[in-house]
Amino acid sequence: MADLRELYQEVILDHSRNPRNFRKLESADRFAEGSNPLCGDRIALFLNLDGGRIAEVGFQGQGCAISKASASMMTASLEGKSEDEARALFEKFHAMVTGTGPADKESLGKLAVFSGVSEFPARVKCASLAWHTMRAAIDRKANVTME
Ligand code: ZN
């Protein structure tokens, strides 16, 4: 079990140091900004849709390793998803990190590395900031603040 945790930490460190899709999308179809004042995490999320599916995702921002890794891994998991599928993934991820629902680790794939976050209430907002921002972008809300 300890080895598994180390592996999880490695994945999170890798994504926080080398975030995927860390770029602004010019002329994005959807855009939202999110902030988590408690930790100082900020994110800007850009989505491009094609035929009702998320074709391109980009994000920018600054924050702690957890928030950056979560945003990075989220962008990788969103490509090709419909808006409804992205919302459903939000619900699963949110239930996992808040510990409010059964962790559907199989369908969450690599995102399951964040399951340990539920044991650290202060980090839950760091891990879910990008996801709240993504849902705001899909729902055409300009910004979201974690409270
Ligand atoms: Zn944070």
Side-chain angles (χ1 to χ4, degrees):
M1 201 59 194
D3 291 348
L4 203 58
R5 285 202 177 211
E6 275 168 34
L7 175 70
Y8 284 0
Q9 280 173 1
E10 249 171 59
V11 173
I12 288 172
L13 280 178
D14 172 44
H15 275 267
S16 70
R17 286 175 182 153
N18 308 293
R20 320 299 197 267
N21 301 305
F22 193 74
R23 62 180 188 271
K24 180 181 180 180
L25 302 187
E26 303 297 340
S27 72
D29 294 325
R30 304 290 170 83
F31 169 74
E33 288 177 298
S35 74
N36 175 23
L38 272 178
C39 181
D41 309 317
R42 301 182 65 86
I43 180 176
L45 186 77
F46 308 86
L47 297 174
N48 269 323
L49 285 93
D50 186 17
R53 293 199 170 263
I54 296 168
E56 222 180 346
V57 193
F59 81 100
Q60 291 200 305
Q62 55 194 33
C64 66
I66 296 273
S67 71
K68 213 180 259 186
S70 178
S72 171
M73 293 183 70
M74 180 190 78
T75 61
S77 68
L78 286 178
E79 280 168 27
K81 297 259 187 308
S82 70
E83 292 179 50
D84 283 347
E85 287 167 350
R87 279 196 193 91
L89 199 56
F90 168 94
E91 296 297 341
K92 281 182 196 171
F93 185 85
H94 194 254
M96 177 181 72
V97 295
T98 56
T100 54
D104 189 355
K105 289 187 186 176
E106 212 147 289
S107 68
L108 281 164
K110 285 182 183 171
L111 297 170
V113 299
F114 291 99
S115 63
V117 167
S118 64
E119 293 167 39
F120 304 95
R123 314 307 292 183
V124 170
K125 288 173 186 174
C126 301
S128 53
L129 172 65
W131 290 85
H132 282 279
T133 309
M134 176 273 286
R135 198 174 59 167
I138 285 179
D139 292 343
R140 298 178 187 275
K141 289 178 187 149
N143 50 60
V144 58
T145 302
M146 306 296 290
E147 286 166 7

